[in-house]
Amino acid sequence: MPIRHLSHRCRALCAAALLAAGVLAGCATGNGVPAGLDPVSSPEWATDMARFATEDAATPPPERPVVFTGSSSVRMWDTLAADFPEVTVLNRGFGGSQVRDAIWYADEVALRYRPRQIVLYAGDNDIAEGRSAAQVLADTQAFVTRIRTTQPGTPIALLGIKPSPSRAHLLGVQRDANTALRDWAATQRNVAYIDVFTPMLDADGVPREDLFIADRLHMNAAGYAMWKDIIGPYLVR
């Protein structure tokens, strides 16, 4: 049974078992992980990392891809490769994740592929779980540092947090986080901030319902088509 269908206690036990088996060995040692980083937000991600490893063993990943990673907005981008036919891309999103999870699992979702570029979408779930704009910025800075420590010079693109109708009550914090990310990225070499927030609002500053599926949180084809047009010019070919 998948870990996500078990009780919290059972999930924790499963994660401990996976750790003993070595699936989480890289994270357990803290190799390259900054001191003081909060623990992973959920033990469920161990299952996703094992799945990625299985997929890589069955079908060797492309060399030097542009790696997209982060939460469900990446994971559910089923047309990613078709949307960017002139770019070698690899989808390593794991739904529900937060920024700090991408740090803990940086080896599994990005570094092992020696990416020519990393595109990160995270922070959406962080804010939904009560983390502040300052925490999102600090964790994102730690993610960039984690990548730089192992693979200096790798271009990193940070996608702004999208405005979802179901999380419209969080627009203020999302704006603050996006502004902080944009301003910080502007001071960094090879770090780009990509604004997907503003284009997804209507004339009244409200999240556009037509860009989302029924849950009002995840995007539909129109939403991803918009992202394709916005993100495309930033990709390293």
Side-chain angles (χ1 to χ4, degrees):
M1 179 180 294
I3 289 179
R4 59 176 49 89
H5 295 306
L6 300 177
S7 68
H8 178 76
R9 182 172 183 275
C10 288
R11 288 199 304 267
L13 291 173
C14 288
L18 289 170
L19 176 60
V23 176
L24 297 179
C27 297
T29 62
N31 183 24
V33 174
L37 179 69
D38 286 343
V40 294
S41 65
S42 171
E44 294 183 12
W45 314 141
T47 300
D48 291 276
M49 300 309 120
R51 174 171 56 82
F52 293 152
T54 298
E55 291 176 1
D56 290 345
T59 304
E63 294 185 6
R64 305 299 312 279
V66 173
V67 173
F68 282 67
T69 191
S71 58
S72 55
S73 292
V74 172
R75 179 181 62 82
M76 297 174 67
W77 198 339
D78 295 333
T79 61
L80 182 65
D83 286 341
F84 302 111
E86 298 180 357
V87 182
T88 301
V89 298
L90 181 65
N91 190 324
R92 283 295 174 262
F94 50 120
S97 62
Q98 299 183 24
V99 181
R100 66 184 187 271
D101 301 318
I103 304 171
W104 280 105
Y105 291 110
D107 285 323
E108 289 84 350
V109 301
L111 292 171
R112 67 188 299 176
Y113 303 109
R114 296 180 62 249
R116 70 177 62 236
Q117 182 183 26
I118 298 170
V119 180
L120 176 70
Y121 180 77
D124 198 336
N125 296 316
D126 308 53
I127 290 174
E129 292 298 322
R131 292 175 77 82
S132 68
Q135 287 174 309
V136 171
L137 174 62
D139 285 350
T140 303
Q141 292 171 328
F143 174 80
V144 172
T145 298
R146 173 74 183 90
I147 300 302
R148 293 282 185 263
T149 299
T150 303
Q151 295 179 10
T154 300
I156 299 171
L158 307 173
L159 302 184
I161 299 168
K162 73 182 190 304
S164 306
S166 68
R167 292 179 175 174
H169 60 292
L170 299 174
L171 286 179
V173 184
Q174 291 176 340
R175 282 194 181 92
D176 290 344
N178 286 338
T179 298
L181 291 171
R182 181 199 64 200
D183 292 349
W184 176 74
T187 69
Q188 303 300 302
R189 183 179 178 85
N190 286 330
V191 177
Y193 170 79
I194 304 177
D195 180 18
V196 297
F197 179 90
T198 306
M200 298 182 74
L201 299 173
D202 65 18
D204 296 319
V206 175
R208 288 178 50 183
E209 296 273 359
D210 61 308
L211 299 176
F212 293 85
I213 62 176
D215 66 6
R216 306 176 73 236
L217 174 62
H218 298 102
M219 293 183 295
N220 58 23
Y224 283 113
M226 174 181 284
W227 274 31
K228 178 190 72 171
D229 291 340
I230 295 171
I231 296 169
Y234 290 88
L235 299 184
V236 175
R237 289 163 170 77

